[in-house]
Amino acid sequence: MSAIAEEAADAVAGAGAPPLIEARRLTRILPGTVPVTLVREIDLTIRAGEFVAITGPSGSGKSSLLYLLGLLDSPTEGEVLIEGEPTHLLSERRRAATRLSTLGFVFQFHFLLPEFSVTDNVMIPMRKLGRLPAREMRERARGLLADLGLGDHLDKRPDQLSGGQRQRVAVARALANEPPAILADEPTGSLDSRSSDQVFDILRALVDDHGKTVIAVTHDLDMAARMDRRLHLVDGMLADP
């Protein structure tokens, strides 16, 4: 069984569980002489196995919402619950542990460390979480890369790969700690159409074949139309698409 497929059965067991991610009156305001509201009083629930697009015009709060749901930013008001657990009172250490164990991240620009091999890049979240010995971390990283078609590139540096290959490394890194949810911010925004389709197909397979939840910010309305659910933001608030 592949490194990704081993995780699929776990999603079935959580069918009666609370929402994987829940937002309650989520608000983010940047302080200043003229405060700027990025996200305003958003309520939503996202359950295991959903493939969710976040769309909206530039400046509508898409990435801000994703970062709040992913505990990369803290709300000014309201709260985010992860698997039913409120997170607003967690210490930064506990928030970081929750991010590492529950949420994987893929960004428009892969943010791979250029001095490390792709295998070592994928191992970074595992090293931070500290659950596995080094040998198992390396084996898992190599297994994930092989599952994503990169088995011949395990020891290469990121600059030796194409843009689409680098983004697949970023997906492998996001999966490193077996998180139930992947949060992606414009994951195909810097790719050509062929590479974009490949990355989309990988995300689709994570949902359909492996029970992952994927939440992706995108400007690509064709991509959003192929996802299962769409959250549309206007001026920081949910609106009809």
Side-chain angles (χ1 to χ4, degrees):
M1 185 180 292
S2 72
I4 298 176
E6 289 177 355
E7 303 155 23
D10 296 337
V12 177
L20 182 58
I21 301 175
E22 183 177 1
R24 297 178 179 174
R25 298 186 66 81
L26 199 60
T27 299
R28 180 68 170 101
I29 301 172
L30 291 181
T33 304
V34 180
V36 177
T37 300
L38 303 176
V39 172
R40 185 192 306 271
E41 295 186 352
I42 288 181
D43 293 301
L44 63 86
T45 60
I46 297 173
R47 297 192 175 274
E50 289 200 82
F51 195 12
V52 181
I54 301 178
T55 64
S58 296
S60 60
K62 301 184 297 299
S63 294
S64 296
L65 175 59
L66 190 78
Y67 294 168
L68 289 167
L69 297 177
L71 308 184
L72 294 172
D73 192 14
S74 299
T76 305
E77 299 174 17
E79 62 178 343
V80 174
L81 288 78
I82 303 294
E83 297 180 321
E85 181 182 4
T87 62
H88 64 292
L89 296 179
L90 294 180
S91 67
E92 185 49 45
R93 182 175 180 180
R94 286 282 308 280
R95 284 171 63 88
T98 299
R99 282 196 302 269
L100 282 169
S101 62
T102 309
L103 308 167
F105 298 91
V106 180
F107 300 97
Q108 178 175 357
F109 302 103
H110 46 77
F111 297 123
L112 302 177
L113 297 181
E115 66 272 25
F116 290 169
S117 71
V118 296
T119 297
D120 287 327
N121 268 280
V122 174
M123 290 173 63
I124 290 171
M126 291 185 273
R127 292 186 187 280
K128 289 182 177 179
L129 191 59
R131 286 181 177 172
L132 299 175
R135 181 175 178 179
E136 291 183 30
M137 286 191 287
R138 187 165 296 276
E139 288 176 353
R140 175 164 174 79
R142 288 176 175 265
L144 288 166
L145 289 164
D147 290 345
L148 294 170
L150 295 168
D152 294 332
H153 306 284
L154 301 176
D155 297 317
K156 291 183 178 179
R157 298 289 193 270
D159 63 4
Q160 295 175 289
L161 303 181
S162 69
Q165 289 171 329
R166 289 193 292 267
Q167 199 64 312
R168 278 185 274 159
V169 175
V171 172
R173 181 182 58 192
L175 293 168
N177 288 328
E178 304 181 38
I182 302 297
L183 282 66
D185 192 4
E186 296 284 1
T188 63
S190 62
L191 303 178
D192 59 42
S193 59
R194 180 173 177 273
S195 296
S196 293
D197 287 341
Q198 290 175 341
V199 170
F200 177 85
D201 289 344
I202 289 168
L203 297 177
R204 176 88 263 176
L206 291 176
V207 175
D208 292 347
D209 300 337
H210 308 295
K212 299 293 184 185
T213 297
V214 174
I215 309 166
V217 167
T218 182
H219 280 97
D220 186 339
L221 297 184
D222 289 335
M223 176 178 168
R226 291 185 286 163
M227 298 169 71
D228 300 334
R229 179 181 171 197
R230 183 174 166 192
L231 302 173
H232 188 67
L233 291 187
V234 176
D235 296 332
M237 296 180 289
L238 291 175
D240 293 332

